[in-house]
Amino acid sequence: MTFGFSSQRLKRLILLGYPLPQTTTLVFLGLVTLITVLSLAWLSGEPNITEFFNLLCEFQNNPPWWSEVPELSAQYLFLPTLIFSGIAAIIIKVSPQPQTWTRALIISINLAIILRYLLWRSVTTLNLTHPVAGILSLGLFLAELLMLLLSSLQLYLSLKIKDNKSEVNPIAKDIIETKYTPSVDIFIPSYDEPEFIIKRTIIGCQALDYPHKTIYLLDDTRRPEIKKLAQTLGCQYITRVDNLHAKAGNLNHALMQTKGEFIVVFDADFIPTKNFINRTIGFFQDSQIALVQTPQTYYNFDPIARNLGLENQLLPDEEQFYRQLELIKNSVGSTVCSGTSFVVRRSALESIGGFVTESICEDYFTGIQLTAKGYRLVYLNEKLSAGLAAENINAHLTQRERWGQGTLQAFFIKSNPLTIPGLTLLQRLAHLEGLASWFMFGLRIYLLIIPLIYAFFNILPVQASLDEWLYFFTPIYFFQMITFSWLNYHSRSFIFNEICSIQHCFQLGLMVLNTILNPFNQGFKVTPKGIIQDRYNWNHNLALPLIGFWILTALAVLKITILGTPEIDEINTESGISLGIIWGVYNLIIITLSILMTIDAPKPDHYDWFELRRVVQIQIQNQTLWGITTQVSEAGAEIDITTQYPLDFSTQQTIKLDWVEENLSLQGRIKTFHYKGDNLTLQVEFQAVNLSQYRQLIELLFCRPGQWKNQKVPGELRSLFLVFRALIKPRFLFDKKPKIKAMKVSQF
């Protein structure tokens, strides 16, 4: 087995003080070997091991009194669930947004319920009657234990949230009053993005309301047309002769060519609002602050939402990271630098030797190195830029595989946040939570397998009656479902979080295994941008594992329902059938939705539309009309006109649009029009847009301060309705020609 390291490179890493890349791999393989040896010893009847498990089995058969269901009527078994759910509902009603005391109360109850459930699972439900059942039962319990421990760690770190938004206005005043205006270099690293994407990013950066800035396009593909674009727009252009160290190398090369006191980095598809620098640079008046990170948000729809037909309802998973997890990490001093839309102090960056090149996640480990050096990183929870989300499900997973591989390379490099000198225990715990989260995808696969093992091999993984499930498990499930969205500031619903975790689990689980065994076997994979497709596209490579599990799960449910299972004992058989059917149907629903996510909806053009209402004066032939835009893109607009009589319109007619509030005039042609009562709707395609007009259009669509607002996901009941709607009416069957859907943005 090779690990992607030559002997020369290995010696060099040892001399530099880097941990051996094989260490984590050997630990991982050692744990697997230990578990395998113990399992084989038990299966073979090794006396000491067998006696140990016999003692455990005896303990399971004689559990303590507190782990048993009280002798209550059946209707009272749901009482703990009603009590805990009622408490959660009251707290959320009193405090719609988490406050310090309400968050602490919810978290305390949540941790108590988790502990109650784990104690019950550990002392009364394990099936240790024979080795095979015991191995599977212990494996399931271990998977649950790890997932709940990770959840508990996140809850513990959430007890005290620090949000820096309250600090911004006073320090931004110094920038506006020109009391503090250091020089800023803006880096736009680019690798093979389409020209039209780079063009609007450069224009957005040039629109920044800050005097002492210089914009650099860092082209790592050395394209003549991109160099010409930079010259046309008046932007500095930097390239290099190779692509060593990918994005990190590109940034470090530019670092040596420039001299601004601060560096702002925007990916080639991210466009800032005009006030980005004014809102961030003031933090650096504190010399201990090295970096300010802002959230990533997107001006197009997430592919999962598009494929399910849930645009503007299902938010991307990045929303949860930036609205909850990044706040948690910021509160304990472990803010994650996420590669774009951040500002960094040049002197601090130079003190650690520039951007970290030992991992494909240069941003994450650069932040760790700065923190370990004694600098502070600040997270400003204010949306000051927007970028292009992955445009199909394959690109979506490619992006997450890169993030996962780069993050897990922490175990093999000097910048490992768990071992690097200079971090506090809380900071390490916050990074541990992020690292451990990638291993949960493998555990998800195990949870899908367990019902199949029960159905086809008649092995009961959990010895519990239906009454016990109602009494001990239902409270934890419902409490977490009720509080999940509240704790993450309504950025993610519990139901859709479950669905998305299953959709990703096979590819990302395999990525985790590959990374542990060979962490540096793949280089930096750029997420494809500017994708166009005029029809539905089925990603069969992503769908086939899901389809395989769907078929097996459906057969398992049918087998249990029709044939039942051999009698293990009366209670276990009854509860096993109930659990097997419920668990199987639950998995079927989630897997079905995951399969639907792999069918990409059409995306017929490059441009994204925004709900934007602006008054326009329309000149057509000898007529002057007034209308209001409802949707606008770089390519055209949809306009509503109220009229009491039919107008003489035809497609392809040329019209002139004067945007009263924007001092912008554009020429276009009518693509379509239709009447609805007294309301006329025109779809107009812009024509002959010059550079000055295009700049105004980009600033209108992307650069208005405050335009990117936090949306709320639907509540759990509404989410459940949307789930069943997506199941009953799959988009690819019922929406053959999807209409253009516009992103909601602030009107002001």
Side-chain angles (χ1 to χ4, degrees):
M1 182 179 292
T2 62
F3 294 93
F5 282 86
S6 66
S7 59
Q8 260 190 342
R9 184 179 178 192
L10 190 57
K11 291 175 184 176
R12 187 166 67 251
L13 290 173
I14 295 169
L15 290 172
L16 289 172
Y18 285 69
L20 287 178
Q22 289 92 337
T23 302
T24 300
T25 303
L26 291 175
V27 170
F28 173 77
L29 293 176
L31 287 171
V32 172
T33 303
L34 178 63
I35 293 169
T36 304
V37 169
L38 289 173
S39 302
L40 290 174
W42 190 12
L43 287 167
S44 64
E46 203 285 326
N48 292 332
I49 298 295
T50 302
E51 184 179 352
F52 171 73
F53 281 103
N54 285 339
L55 287 173
L56 284 181
C57 185
E58 185 178 345
F59 182 72
Q60 292 288 315
N61 293 330
N62 298 280
W65 63 268
W66 47 262
S67 65
E68 297 181 321
V69 178
E71 293 184 5
L72 298 171
S73 300
Q75 63 265 31
Y76 293 108
L77 293 174
F78 210 64
L79 192 60
T81 303
L82 292 175
I83 292 172
F84 289 125
S85 300
I87 292 171
I90 291 169
I91 294 172
I92 291 172
K93 184 70 174 177
V94 171
S95 175
Q97 291 296 320
Q99 306 297 322
T100 302
W101 72 274
T102 52
R103 186 188 300 110
L105 190 55
I106 287 288
I107 289 172
S108 300
I109 297 171
N110 210 338
L111 291 172
I113 297 174
I114 289 173
L115 180 61
R116 173 181 182 264
Y117 173 76
L118 288 176
L119 287 173
W120 167 69
R121 280 283 283 119
S122 63
V123 301
T124 188
T125 65
L126 301 179
N127 183 2
L128 305 175
T129 52
H130 57 87
V132 175
I135 291 166
L136 293 170
S137 184
L138 286 169
L140 175 60
F141 175 66
L142 182 61
E144 287 185 83
L145 178 64
L146 291 175
M147 295 176 81
L148 289 171
L149 284 177
L150 180 63
S151 176
S152 299
L153 175 58
Q154 188 183 107
L155 289 170
Y156 171 71
L157 294 171
S158 303
L159 282 171
K160 190 176 180 180
I161 295 288
K162 181 183 178 183
D163 195 335
N164 295 298
K165 286 178 72 173
S166 60
E167 303 173 26
V168 177
N169 289 336
I171 59 178
K173 188 178 178 182
D174 292 339
I175 315 304
I176 296 169
E177 295 177 353
T178 67
K179 294 178 182 177
Y180 180 71
T181 54
S183 58
V184 174
D185 290 335
I186 300 172
F187 289 176
I188 307 172
S190 168
Y191 186 88
D192 209 29
E193 293 86 0
E195 183 177 337
F196 75 94
I197 290 177
I198 300 172
K199 182 179 181 180
R200 61 192 179 203
T201 298
I202 294 173
I203 289 173
C205 290
Q206 290 174 329
L208 283 164
D209 186 16
Y210 188 79
H212 305 299
K213 66 180 186 291
T214 308
I215 300 164
Y216 296 90
L217 177 61
L218 317 182
D219 179 21
D220 233 11
T221 42
R222 299 168 287 281
R223 291 174 288 172
E225 66 272 20
I226 300 301
K227 182 177 182 180
K228 183 179 179 182
L229 173 68
Q231 292 171 342
T232 301
L233 296 177
C235 168
Q236 301 296 315
Y237 178 83
I238 296 177
T239 190
R240 54 184 180 145
V241 296
D242 57 31
N243 300 109
L244 185 64
H245 300 309
K247 182 181 175 182
N250 193 7
L251 291 168
N252 284 335
H253 178 259
L255 195 63
M256 295 184 291
Q257 312 291 319
T258 57
K259 57 183 180 180
E261 295 173 68
F262 295 92
I263 296 160
V264 178
V265 178
F266 293 112
D267 281 348
D269 58 299
F270 267 81
I271 307 170
T273 56
K274 292 182 179 182
N275 61 341
F276 181 94
I277 297 179
N278 287 341
R279 301 292 288 175
T280 55
I281 204 71
F283 282 101
F284 293 98
Q285 294 175 85
D286 181 346
S287 61
Q288 286 301 110
I289 292 177
L291 185 145
V292 175
Q293 177 67 57
T294 65
Q296 294 183 24
T297 193
Y298 300 101
Y299 53 77
N300 64 324
F301 293 113
D302 178 81
I304 290 176
R306 286 180 55 247
N307 295 350
L308 293 179
L310 299 176
E311 295 94 330
N312 279 322
Q313 293 171 315
L314 176 59
L315 303 182
D317 52 5
E318 291 92 343
E319 285 287 315
Q320 184 184 359
F321 178 81
Y322 288 105
R323 282 158 65 173
Q324 181 193 22
L325 301 181
E326 188 75 296
L327 275 176
I328 294 171
K329 296 177 188 299
N330 180 65
S331 302
V332 296
S334 60
T335 297
V336 172
C337 175
S338 55
T340 184
S341 308
F342 68 88
V343 189
V344 62
R345 190 187 299 270
R346 179 184 290 270
S347 60
L349 194 56
E350 290 174 343
S351 73
I352 62 168
F355 290 93
V356 172
T357 59
E358 55 187 350
S359 166
I360 58 174
C361 279
E362 82 297 327
D363 45 6
Y364 177 50
F365 295 105
T366 297
I368 290 170
Q369 288 272 17
L370 288 169
T371 306
K373 191 80 173 178
Y375 288 104
R376 284 179 56 208
L377 275 61
V378 171
Y379 174 61
L380 173 58
N381 186 22
E382 189 173 330
K383 292 183 175 180
L384 300 170
S385 64
L388 192 62
E391 295 177 280
N392 61 34
I393 194 66
N394 189 59
H396 178 85
L397 280 170
T398 297
Q399 189 180 63
R400 277 141 188 82
E401 285 174 339
R402 184 181 75 240
W403 294 346
Q405 182 190 357
T407 303
L408 293 174
Q409 285 171 347
F411 294 118
F412 306 90
I413 63 176
K414 188 177 180 180
S415 302
N416 184 348
L418 305 182
T419 58
I420 190 172
L423 299 188
T424 66
L425 176 61
L426 277 179
Q427 288 172 329
R428 296 188 197 282
L429 286 175
H431 288 294
L432 174 63
E433 185 273 335
L435 291 168
S437 65
W438 292 100
F439 292 93
M440 295 303 106
F441 293 103
L443 298 181
R444 290 282 181 179
I445 298 173
Y446 188 71
L447 294 179
L448 289 175
I449 292 173
I450 285 295
L452 307 182
I453 291 173
Y454 171 73
F456 296 122
F457 299 99
N458 303 317
I459 297 173
L460 192 67
V462 182
Q463 293 191 123
S465 67
L466 187 58
D467 289 354
E468 289 175 304
W469 281 108
L470 287 174
Y471 192 73
F472 288 102
F473 172 74
T474 324
I476 189 174
Y477 185 86
F478 276 88
F479 190 86
Q480 294 204 357
M481 183 172 69
I482 291 169
T483 60
F484 183 83
S485 180
W486 182 79
L487 283 169
N488 64 49
Y489 300 91
H490 306 285
S491 60
R492 194 79 164 164
S493 74
F494 181 82
I495 292 170
F496 282 113
N497 188 66
E498 289 287 293
I499 294 166
C500 291
S501 66
I502 294 297
Q503 205 280 330
H504 298 341
C505 69
F506 294 102
Q507 284 74 25
L508 295 185
L510 183 62
M511 174 276 299
V512 170
L513 182 61
N514 287 337
T515 303
I516 293 298
L517 296 177
N518 199 348
F520 301 98
N521 67 326
Q522 292 185 2
F524 191 100
K525 287 186 179 179
V526 177
T527 306
K529 304 290 184 183
I531 296 171
I532 290 180
Q533 58 185 50
D534 58 1
R535 64 190 68 184
Y536 284 95
N537 180 53
W538 180 48
N539 292 275
H540 59 277
N541 289 333
L542 304 180
L544 287 177
L546 294 166
I547 292 172
F549 262 84
W550 192 96
I551 293 171
L552 289 173
T553 304
L555 291 173
V557 171
L558 284 173
K559 180 180 182 296
I560 298 172
T561 304
I562 297 171
L563 301 179
T565 55
E567 297 253 344
I568 301 168
D569 61 57
E570 187 177 344
I571 294 177
N572 287 342
T573 302
E574 178 189 348
S575 64
I577 292 175
S578 301
L579 174 63
I581 294 173
I582 293 169
W583 198 345
V585 171
Y586 181 82
N587 284 348
L588 279 176
I589 292 171
I590 291 180
I591 295 171
T592 303
L593 283 162
S594 299
I595 293 170
L596 294 177
M597 290 178 192
T598 66
I599 305 173
D600 284 314
K603 187 177 183 298
D605 62 51
H606 288 301
Y607 304 108
D608 296 283
W609 291 72
F610 303 93
E611 291 183 3
L612 193 61
R613 299 181 70 82
R614 289 292 186 271
V615 177
V616 290
Q617 186 184 65
I618 304 164
Q619 302 285 342
I620 179 168
Q621 295 178 350
N622 297 322
Q623 299 181 82
T624 300
L625 304 170
W626 292 89
I628 297 177
T629 62
T630 54
Q631 299 182 10
V632 185
S633 79
E634 295 166 67
E638 185 177 86
I639 305 167
D640 277 352
I641 301 170
T642 300
T643 176
Q644 295 181 349
Y645 52 90
L647 299 170
D648 185 19
F649 278 152
S650 64
T651 56
Q652 306 302 318
Q653 272 188 289
T654 299
I655 64 174
K656 182 183 177 185
L657 301 174
D658 290 317
W659 307 65
V660 178
E661 300 155 280
E662 310 298 333
N663 193 26
L664 170 64
S665 293
L666 292 171
Q667 182 177 301
R669 66 179 180 85
I670 299 173
K671 286 187 67 177
T672 63
F673 66 92
H674 63 270
Y675 286 93
K676 188 175 181 180
D678 292 337
N679 193 65
L680 169 66
T681 300
L682 297 179
Q683 282 196 351
V684 178
E685 181 181 41
F686 300 144
Q687 290 184 317
V689 179
N690 60 38
L691 181 56
S692 175
Q693 292 171 325
Y694 187 69
R695 286 184 186 276
Q696 288 179 276
L697 193 55
I698 292 297
E699 291 179 29
L700 170 65
L701 293 176
F702 299 99
C703 302
R704 292 173 292 115
Q707 75 175 89
W708 307 112
K709 299 293 186 182
N710 285 338
Q711 296 182 46
K712 288 186 177 183
V713 293
E716 297 301 337
L717 287 177
R718 172 68 178 165
S719 295
L720 191 61
F721 167 76
L722 294 172
V723 163
F724 284 106
R725 191 183 73 179
L727 281 172
I728 296 167
K729 296 182 66 175
R731 181 169 192 173
F732 76 100
L733 289 177
F734 290 87
D735 195 6
K736 294 294 186 181
K737 294 183 178 180
K739 295 179 181 178
I740 294 174
K741 293 193 177 181
M743 179 73 73
K744 293 179 180 178
V745 296
S746 172
Q747 298 294 318
F748 304 102

